Amino acid sequence: MRADLGARGRVDWLLRMPPEVERAHERDFGPARIRHLRHAIIVGLIVYNIYNLTSLHLMGDIQPFTVAMRLFLLTPGSILIFLLVSRLPAAWREVLLLQGMFTASLLPLYLVYISQSPYASYTLGELPLVLLFGNMLLVLRFRWALIFTTVTCLTALWVIHIKPGLDENLIFPLTVQVITGLFFTLYGNWHFERQRCLTYLAQYDAENRADRAERIGDALRDLTRTDTLTGIANRRHLEETLDGWLKSRPSVLLMMVDVDHFKAYNDRLGHLAGDDCLRRIAAALSAFAARHEGFAARYGGEEFTLLFAVDSETGGAFLADRLVRTIRDCAIPHPGRPDGLVHVTVSAGYAGADRDRDALTLVTRADLALYEAKSAGRNRSKAG
């Protein structure tokens, strides 16, 4: 109920939806609309030309002219519209339909007006069918249906009341027929168009809510897979990625990285500075991983893990040594190191899953290699 009320509030009295919704509707239903119009145009053209037979009896004095108008004016025009409806933008397509319907409705009125046949007025019986075709079969957009119906009916009333020689006893019945035809066909068009707009707006809103919920879900999922301090992947995301890589990639290199003497850094500069240091290192590791089509995550504390789809024997030492050098080149000051160095460095241990596809074993091997790198003096890498 609330969705329906919201939809109603976004359709004006001419049954126009917001521009972005109109574009979405055309994207979703434009092809179906074109197919429907083409079928309706063919049917309408066939039926319209059948009236050449009735004009033979009702307007015999201008029969050649009526046939010529239908065959050489209205028929080519209808075929042109048939060809153009799929090539024009939606707005121009609907305006073109309006012009075609004006030709279909005003031409018979003109023929009635110029005919001197005493039976010509009976041709006005075609008018409600023309209104029915435009408003209910073609289903002109309501704003155009309103213009089409009003102009056609006013023209018909003008012909009825000024045509010379028209039986006065027919004026009132014909006027009633024109007005009731206007009302019923225009009301039918309004009802159909209103339901189309309200239904699509409700669908559009439901899809938007679903998309928004999906985006929120994605954002929440990303939050659960992102380290809040550094902004890179967290351990949970690492475990998911590692499992996927081990199943799908022939070679996986896992690298454990630890910040050297990080406790001394925190003790000397404070935890806020330590957090900022971790963020800078995480950014450098993430960029390094991206350059080599890898993956970087914070494993915990001052420890990070990187994954690369390379063979450990051919690419492990190269990547590990370059990574250690990359962090050293960041030149982050470290005033509290006991080994005399003045910049932050990292130690790295790496292991390859070329044959061993067990995640825990791979992490353990890389972690032991990291321990060896730290025991050997830090600021270096070791293979596991």
Side-chain angles (χ1 to χ4, degrees), residues 85-97:
V85 288
S86 62
R87 294 173 169 83
L88 293 175
W92 287 104
R93 180 187 68 214
E94 301 301 327
V95 171
L96 183 65
L97 292 173

Side-chain angles (χ1 to χ4, degrees), residues 49 223 231 273 341 355 374:
N49 277 286
L223 285 175
L341 297 179
R355 292 174 297 275
K374 295 178 76 68

Side-chain angles (χ1 to χ4, degrees), residues 193-210:
E193 280 286 276
R194 181 173 179 271
Q195 288 302 117
R196 175 184 69 87
C197 292
L198 294 180
T199 299
Y200 186 74
L201 275 169
Q203 173 187 328
Y204 181 82
D205 291 342
E207 291 176 352
N208 280 346
R209 286 194 298 271

Side-chain angles (χ1 to χ4, degrees), residues 8 52 65 74 79 118 135 171 187 234 270 287 292 294 312-313 358:
R8 292 180 187 180
N52 283 321
F65 182 68
L74 189 130
I79 294 174
N135 289 341
I171 294 177
Y187 173 77
N234 62 11
H292 298 281
S312 61
E313 295 182 0
D358 181 72

Side-chain angles (χ1 to χ4, degrees), residues 73-143:
L73 175 63
L74 189 130
T75 298
S78 299
I79 294 174
L80 180 63
I81 294 174
F82 177 90
L83 296 174
L84 290 178
V85 288
S86 62
R87 294 173 169 83
L88 293 175
W92 287 104
R93 180 187 68 214
E94 301 301 327
V95 171
L96 183 65
L97 292 173
L98 173 65
Q99 294 173 346
M101 287 310 305
F102 271 139
T103 302
S105 64
L106 298 181
L107 177 60
L109 294 176
Y110 171 70
L111 296 176
V112 170
Y113 181 74
I114 65 174
S115 176
Q116 301 300 314
S117 170
Y119 306 110
S121 58
Y122 293 103
T123 307
L124 291 170
E126 301 174 11
L127 184 62
L129 299 179
V130 175
L131 294 174
L132 182 67
F133 177 77
N135 289 341
M136 301 299 295
L137 188 57
L138 285 185
V139 195
L140 295 172
R141 297 301 184 233
F142 178 71
R143 54 190 177 277

Side-chain angles (χ1 to χ4, degrees), residues 48 76 103 142 150 155 192 211 229 253:
Y48 199 83
T103 302
F142 178 71
T150 302
T155 304
F192 187 88
D211 290 343
L229 175 64
L253 176 73

Side-chain angles (χ1 to χ4, degrees), residues 294-315:
F295 175 85
R298 186 185 181 195
Y299 194 77
E302 66 271 22
E303 198 167 6
F304 298 86
T305 305
L306 287 83
L307 301 177
F308 301 95
V310 298
D311 185 280
S312 61
E313 295 182 0
T314 58

Side-chain angles (χ1 to χ4, degrees), residues 205-220:
D205 291 342
E207 291 176 352
N208 280 346
R209 286 194 298 271
D211 290 343
R212 188 161 54 249
E214 184 177 355
R215 288 194 299 271
I216 292 173
D218 289 343
L220 291 174

